[in-house]
């Protein structure tokens, strides 16, 4: 700052007033700090109060631009009061001052005290249909602009949205929604399951009949799944595949998606197929017979990130070879974790099965980990994506091996395969 002229040339330092000197007031800026004024005690008090109320308190709230626009304009004496005003464009303070002044004048003239009328804000009247004085984005209600806006919003709806937002925008079909509700799919509260009559102490409680006795609980509606599940063969290479005497249903999917657990849940024979919370437990193609009716095949998971590259490739090649060449294979259940949806590796397998004309059906697993609406959205999204595919068997089935939700429906779907092939 130029001390002599009082014009700021550089960046102003932030200095706060100090009032600790007898008969002396030191104020705000470095320039003013130098100018110490002597005042009588009354004036000093008024002065310091007015600065306290106006300058000091407000200055710190303003940013630089606002501060520049603020100008100290008047110090008006009203009776005993000293009011310091700062002029700001359209400020309230200014209106207050003038209305106060008016009342004061009226008092002096003996006019009865009335509340000052508020000044009406004058709005600018615009012709709705005259677009000449409006900007395009001013909310003009012309038809053309509306069209443009609609197109833009449609574009942003699809292009601008994140993957997550796009997912949330999916409206599932009524049939999917009712399936989710009827089967109590999705994350549910225990109290809700209890009220519906399910015994939550049992494993896969929703696979039982509500309010059923223990003998009823044992029954599986589809006779084929009442057969004993027995380990039959394991293969690490295609040459050791067993002969394809029985119709086969294979369970494929990424590591840890719940393939082995689903086999146990379908047959209610917990522990026959080994499961683990660590991905990559199943490393060979495991064949299980279900009586003499069907063969169920547990495939090693693909996309297991922590396995060695060559091991991973060997598993994936084995799975690919199995699904594209196996003769007795009637259906591949492609398991997708409901939480994560279809990944690149899943699409690769889908493409392969399309080329090999292998029938496959999408099974959404672990539905108990997400909200019911997200189960429906995931099913809807996958069905839409695979709509044009020829070998896919629709609809997608939603299950949870943990809660037992949807397991009965899957049994019904799969038992038809066995029945038709071997009546
Ligand atoms: N919450 C929940 N967890 C499940 C469900 N199904 C399986 N799991 C769990 O997921 C983990 C993996 O299950 P597995 O059946 O071994 O999965 P996998 O697909 O056979 O895995 P790999 O053999 O490694 O390919 C286990 O900890 C299971 O308890 C389910 O429906 N809900
Ligand atoms: Mg497994």
């Amino acid at each position: 700052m130029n001390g002599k002229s009082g014009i700021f040339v550089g960046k102003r330092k932030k200095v706060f007033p100090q009032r600790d000197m007898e008969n002396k007031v030191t104020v705000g800026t470095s320039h003013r700090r130098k100018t110490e004024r002597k005042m009588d005690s009354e004036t000093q008090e008024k002065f310091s109060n007015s600065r306290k109320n106006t300058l000091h308190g407000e200055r710190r709230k303003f940013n630089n631009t606002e501060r520049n626009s603020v100008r100290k304009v008047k110090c008006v004496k009203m009776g005993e009061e000293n009011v310091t005003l700062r002029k700001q464009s359209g400020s309230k303070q200014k209106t207050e001052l003038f209305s106060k002044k008016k009342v004061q004048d009226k008092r002096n003239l003996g006019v009865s005290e009335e509340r000052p009328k508020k000044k009406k804000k004058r709005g600018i009247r615009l012709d709705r249909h005259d677009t000449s004085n409006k900007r395009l984005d001013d909310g003009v209600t012309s038809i053309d602009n509306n069209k443009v806006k609609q197109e833009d919003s449609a574009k942003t709806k699809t292009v601008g949205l994140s993957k997550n937002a796009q997912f949330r925008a999916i409206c599932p079909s009524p049939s999917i929604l009712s399936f989710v509700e009827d089967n109590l799919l999705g994350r549910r509260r225990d109290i809700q399951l209890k009220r519906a009559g399910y015994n939550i102490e049992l494993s896969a409680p929703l696979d039982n009949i509500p309010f059923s006795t223990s003998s009823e609980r044992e029954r599986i509606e589809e006779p084929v799944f009442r057969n004993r599940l027995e380990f039959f063969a394991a293969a690490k290479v295609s040459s050791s595949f067993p002969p394809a005497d029985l119709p086969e249903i294979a369970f494929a999917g990424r590591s840890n998606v719940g393939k082995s657990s689903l086999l146990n849940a379908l047959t209610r024979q917990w522990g026959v197929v080994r499961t683990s919370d660590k991905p990559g437990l199943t490393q060979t193609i495991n064949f299980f017979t279900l009586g003499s009716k069907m063969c169920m095949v547990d495939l090693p998971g693909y996309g297991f990130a922590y396995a060695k590259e060559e091991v991973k490739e060997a598993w994936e090649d084995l799975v690919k070879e199995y699904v594209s060449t196996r003769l007795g294979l009637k259906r591949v259940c492609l398991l997708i974790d409901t939480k994560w949806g279809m990944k690149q590796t899943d699409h690769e397998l889908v493409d392969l099965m399309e080329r090999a004309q292998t029938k496959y059906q999408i099974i959404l697993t672990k539905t108990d980990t997400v909200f019911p609406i997200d189960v429906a959205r995931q099913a809807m999204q996958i069905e839409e994506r695979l709509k044009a595919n020829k070998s896919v068997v629709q609809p997608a089935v939603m299950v949870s091996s943990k809660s037992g939700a949807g397991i009965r429906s899957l049994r019904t779907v799969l038992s038809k395969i066995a029945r038709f092939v071997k009546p």
Side-chain angles (χ1 to χ4, degrees):
M1 190 181 74
N2 186 339
K4 281 177 191 173
S5 61
I7 298 163
F8 289 100
V9 286
K11 211 176 179 185
R12 185 192 285 180
K13 278 186 183 174
K14 230 181 190 179
V15 183
F16 303 114
Q18 297 167 357
R19 288 177 215 90
D20 54 353
M21 297 162 77
E22 230 187 79
N23 293 330
K24 285 175 187 176
V25 175
T26 313
V27 285
T29 63
S30 55
H31 169 63
R32 280 175 191 161
R33 194 184 288 144
K34 285 174 197 166
T35 34
E36 294 164 345
R37 298 175 220 166
K38 287 202 170 184
M39 302 177 191
D40 63 272
S41 60
E42 198 188 339
T43 330
Q44 187 199 345
E45 198 185 320
K46 279 176 194 172
F47 183 77
S48 65
N49 279 344
S50 68
R51 293 205 68 81
K52 201 176 175 180
N53 293 338
T54 56
L55 289 175
H56 178 57
E58 289 172 12
R59 173 161 292 177
R60 278 191 268 169
K61 285 178 194 167
F62 295 144
N63 61 31
N64 277 342
T65 343
E66 284 167 334
R67 199 178 293 139
N68 290 340
S69 74
V70 173
R71 295 281 183 272
K72 189 184 174 188
V73 285
K74 279 179 183 177
C75 207
V76 185
K77 267 195 174 181
M78 263 200 255
E80 295 288 313
E81 282 177 336
N82 261 342
V83 183
T84 309
L85 271 186
R86 308 192 125 229
K87 188 183 175 186
Q88 220 177 342
S89 55
S91 76
K92 256 188 179 178
Q93 283 174 326
K94 198 180 172 184
T95 338
E96 257 173 39
L97 167 76
F98 288 116
S99 56
K100 270 186 184 176
K101 207 179 175 185
K102 265 187 186 176
V103 174
Q104 192 74 28
D105 290 345
K106 277 181 184 175
R107 268 187 210 154
N108 292 343
L109 289 167
V111 181
S112 64
E113 202 177 305
E114 275 178 38
R115 289 197 86 194
K117 276 186 184 177
K118 271 189 180 177
K119 248 190 176 180
K120 263 191 180 179
K121 275 186 183 176
R122 287 187 69 188
I124 305 161
R125 285 192 181 178
L126 292 169
D127 181 3
R128 286 176 69 217
H129 304 290
D130 176 19
T131 56
S132 60
N133 56 357
K134 289 195 173 186
R135 292 197 323 242
L136 259 181
D137 57 349
D138 245 353
V140 185
T141 52
S142 78
I143 299 162
D144 287 350
N145 286 343
N146 274 351
K147 266 187 187 174
V148 172
K149 270 190 177 178
Q150 275 172 8
E151 277 169 19
D152 282 354
S153 63
K155 268 183 198 171
T156 46
K157 259 181 197 172
T158 50
V159 180
L161 292 179
S162 67
K163 266 189 182 176
N164 220 346
Q166 277 179 27
F167 181 74
R168 272 183 269 118
I170 294 172
C171 292
S173 66
S175 63
I176 292 179
L177 285 172
S178 64
F179 184 85
V180 168
E181 268 321 294
D182 294 348
N183 289 282
L184 285 173
L185 285 151
R187 195 189 299 160
R188 307 274 173 170
R189 287 189 183 154
D190 284 353
I191 187 75
Q192 197 182 354
L193 304 184
K194 273 185 192 170
R195 275 193 201 132
Y198 294 103
N199 183 355
I200 57 163
E201 314 276 284
L202 304 166
S203 50
L206 295 179
D207 188 27
N208 296 300
I209 304 155
F211 303 106
S212 58
T213 61
S214 58
S215 58
E216 280 170 332
R217 251 181 251 136
E218 296 301 316
R219 274 193 64 228
I220 294 179
E221 328 72 56
E222 300 300 335
V224 66
F225 285 100
R226 288 186 208 156
N227 286 301
R228 221 175 114 95
L229 184 72
E230 270 179 314
F231 176 72
F232 168 52
K236 256 191 176 171
V237 285
S238 56
S239 55
S240 48
F241 288 165
D245 297 333
L246 291 171
E248 278 176 17
I249 299 174
F251 293 80
R254 289 165 60 78
S255 269
N256 212 241
V257 78
K259 299 176 290 294
S260 307
S261 305
L262 185 58
L263 272 168
N264 289 332
L266 280 169
T267 53
R268 280 196 184 169
Q269 293 171 41
W270 313 102
V272 176
V273 190
R274 281 180 61 219
T275 64
S276 163
D277 53 356
K278 283 183 195 149
L281 179 80
T282 315
Q283 300 184 3
T284 51
I285 296 187
N286 296 333
F287 297 81
F288 296 86
T289 52
L290 204 53
S292 59
K293 300 281 178 192
M294 204 158 46
C295 184
M296 297 175 86
V297 185
D298 187 18
L299 298 175
Y302 49 82
F304 173 41
Y306 302 109
K308 280 181 190 164
E309 206 56 44
E310 59 267 21
V311 176
K312 220 164 70 174
E313 276 173 18
W315 291 352
E316 287 174 14
D317 289 346
L318 188 67
V319 171
K320 282 176 184 170
E321 193 173 351
Y322 174 81
V323 297
S324 52
T325 60
R326 182 75 174 166
L327 280 179
L329 184 59
K330 298 297 168 200
R331 188 165 303 178
V332 175
C333 291
L334 178 53
L335 275 62
I336 307 287
D337 191 327
T338 314
K339 200 170 183 178
W340 306 115
M342 277 186 90
K343 301 282 180 189
Q344 182 58 34
T345 39
D346 298 315
H347 284 291
E348 281 170 20
L349 193 70
V350 163
D351 292 343
L352 181 77
M353 289 190 286
E354 281 290 326
R355 270 182 264 130
Q357 297 182 343
T358 308
K359 291 268 175 230
Y360 62 95
Q361 187 163 17
I362 302 294
I363 314 290
L364 285 172
T365 59
K366 303 192 185 182
T367 53
D368 58 291
T369 57
V370 299
F371 290 117
I373 184 65
D374 290 335
V375 177
R377 282 178 182 147
Q378 197 65 263
M380 187 75 192
Q381 192 180 44
I382 290 175
E383 280 183 13
E384 283 292 312
R385 270 188 200 167
L386 304 178
K387 209 164 52 180
N389 290 12
K390 285 184 180 142
S391 300
V392 68
V393 179
Q394 299 272 32
V397 184
M398 299 152 255
V399 296
S400 165
S401 306
K402 197 175 176 186
S403 73
I407 296 288
R408 246 180 288 174
S409 310
L410 184 59
R411 275 197 207 111
T412 314
V413 169
L414 297 182
S415 62
K416 279 176 192 162
I417 299 169
R419 238 179 258 158
F420 284 136
V421 177
K422 278 221 159 178

